[in-house]
Amino acid sequence: MLLSIVMVGKQVFNNVYNFVIMKFTYWWRSYRRSRGRDIPQQATTRWEKDYNLDPADTMALFDEYLAMVIQFGFLTLFVSGFPLAPAFALLNSVIEIRLDAYKFVTHLRRPLPLQVQNIGAWQSILKGLSSVAIVTNSFLIAYTTNFIPRLVYMFIYSYDGSLTGYVNNSLSYFDTSDFTDINKPETMTLDGKHVHTCRYLDYRHPPSYENKYTFSLQYWHIFAARLAFIVVFEHLVIFVTSLIAYYIPDIPRNVQTQIQREQILAQAALYRDEMRHSRRPGDQRHQRSRDFSSQSSDQNNGNLMYSPTDCSCGEDSYYTL
């Protein structure tokens, strides 16, 4: 019931509320500009017409992302409690896409475009919700449904492997004489007959047992089966999602190859550009003068001896008289 209210009622109310507020804000701005002053002003240019529109705040998308993340959280965390939630979420998303498109085109000033690589921290939040959703849904299936008790009864306690006798097996016995004065019902009769024993949904020992009303062995079998189901379900879902993510990556492999190729080409072009700048004539003369100064210093210190035969008379050679 909670999910139906959130996914249907709340979403419809938010869409209608946003549409009405958008219309009213636009009408109020136009009214103040045209009739709210002594001299009516008629917008003629494009920027004057856009002045009546709402300004595009840099944090405007924050509320949009927040609404989508909240919807995604309700949808994934408790989808096993309301299986129709994805259908209503899809319908709401289609309607909201059209409303947002209408709002950005007709009632908002043109926003400044910014280039980003991804959706930022929202990606980590969505991944975290997906991971937590696996745990919550496994616990919901194990502890709020009869799926595990039915399997335990079929494979362990049933004589023919069917669900025949499951309801009677899932009900425990209670002696009405064990009622306290506080919990005792006003009348102990049903259809004029005194009720000595009643049944309730649980797995406990009957009143004739030594430790009456304690958990029976079947309860611990179901408890262990639920824990085992949680562990198996989590690992199975994680394995399947990881396998799908491996075979269907966010970026196709051919696109990744092209990106790596562009990076290599960019590095090669940068390297060639740096080599071209380092071989400029001015840089060569500066490098030659530094080499010549170091050679002269070594010669004066006696570390290097020159002879006329050691000097080449090429274009780039330096020698002293």
Side-chain angles (χ1 to χ4, degrees), residues 253-291:
R253 290 183 175 82
N254 58 345
V255 177
Q256 293 180 356
T257 304
Q258 292 295 330
I259 292 175
Q260 294 176 356
R261 180 176 179 274
E262 290 180 357
Q263 292 177 352
I264 294 174
L265 293 177
Q267 292 177 358
L270 180 62
Y271 177 76
R272 288 195 301 268
D273 185 69
E274 290 180 353
M275 293 296 296
R276 189 184 307 112
H277 285 289
S278 64
R279 292 178 179 177
R280 288 180 178 178
D283 297 338
Q284 290 181 359
R285 289 194 298 268
H286 182 66
Q287 182 67 27
R288 290 167 183 170
S289 62
R290 285 191 300 176
D291 295 342

Side-chain angles (χ1 to χ4, degrees), residues 9-205:
K10 184 176 180 296
Q11 300 291 351
V12 173
F13 174 78
N14 288 341
N15 291 332
V16 174
Y17 175 78
N18 292 332
F19 183 79
V20 172
I21 291 298
M22 177 180 60
K23 284 290 187 181
F24 177 78
T25 305
Y26 179 76
W27 172 82
W28 180 250
R29 284 179 177 272
S30 301
Y31 175 79
R32 288 185 58 188
R33 182 170 178 82
S34 61
R35 300 183 181 277
R37 299 180 181 178
D38 296 336
I39 303 176
Q41 297 184 5
Q42 185 66 27
T44 57
T45 60
R46 180 73 265 174
W47 68 269
E48 288 179 326
K49 295 178 181 179
D50 290 344
Y51 182 77
N52 296 329
L53 303 178
D54 292 335
D57 190 9
T58 55
M59 297 294 294
L61 291 180
F62 180 83
D63 295 333
E64 302 292 338
Y65 274 112
L66 182 61
M68 291 295 101
V69 168
I70 291 176
Q71 176 180 284
F72 181 79
F74 276 106
L75 179 64
T76 56
L77 293 175
F78 313 108
V79 66
S80 58
F82 185 50
L84 287 177
F88 289 109
L90 176 62
L91 179 62
N92 172 75
S93 298
V94 172
I95 297 174
E96 193 163 355
I97 285 173
R98 302 312 306 167
L99 288 178
D100 289 341
Y102 180 76
K103 177 178 67 175
F104 276 97
V105 172
T106 61
H107 288 77
L108 280 182
R109 298 174 188 174
R110 301 299 178 264
L112 296 177
L114 297 176
Q115 185 178 3
V116 295
Q117 294 182 351
N118 48 41
I119 60 177
W122 297 109
Q123 184 71 20
S124 302
I125 295 174
L126 293 176
K127 289 184 178 179
L129 287 175
S130 301
S131 301
V132 177
I134 299 174
V135 180
T136 57
N137 282 283
S138 62
F139 273 90
L140 283 173
I141 296 174
Y143 284 94
T144 63
T145 65
N146 293 326
F147 177 70
I148 302 301
R150 287 171 181 268
L151 291 180
V152 173
Y153 178 80
M154 289 173 57
F155 289 104
I156 299 178
Y157 295 95
S158 178
Y159 295 101
D160 55 357
S162 65
L163 290 175
T164 304
Y166 167 74
V167 176
N168 183 63
N169 178 263
S170 62
L171 298 176
S172 300
Y173 291 89
F174 184 79
D175 191 351
T176 57
S177 61
D178 293 331
F179 275 122
T180 60
D181 294 335
I182 299 176
N183 298 326
K184 186 177 181 180
E186 296 180 357
T187 177
M188 301 291 292
T189 60
L190 180 65
D191 296 334
K193 297 181 179 180
H194 184 77
V195 178
H196 297 280
T197 305
C198 61
R199 307 291 298 274
Y200 61 96
L201 184 63
D202 206 347
Y203 297 94
R204 294 178 181 269
H205 291 295

Side-chain angles (χ1 to χ4, degrees), residues 276-312:
R276 189 184 307 112
H277 285 289
S278 64
R279 292 178 179 177
R280 288 180 178 178
D283 297 338
Q284 290 181 359
R285 289 194 298 268
H286 182 66
Q287 182 67 27
R288 290 167 183 170
S289 62
R290 285 191 300 176
D291 295 342
F292 176 72
S293 299
S294 61
Q295 291 177 1
S296 300
S297 176
D298 292 339
Q299 183 180 10
N300 294 333
N301 293 332
N303 297 329
L304 182 63
M305 298 298 295
Y306 287 97
S307 63
T309 57
D310 295 334
C311 299
S312 60

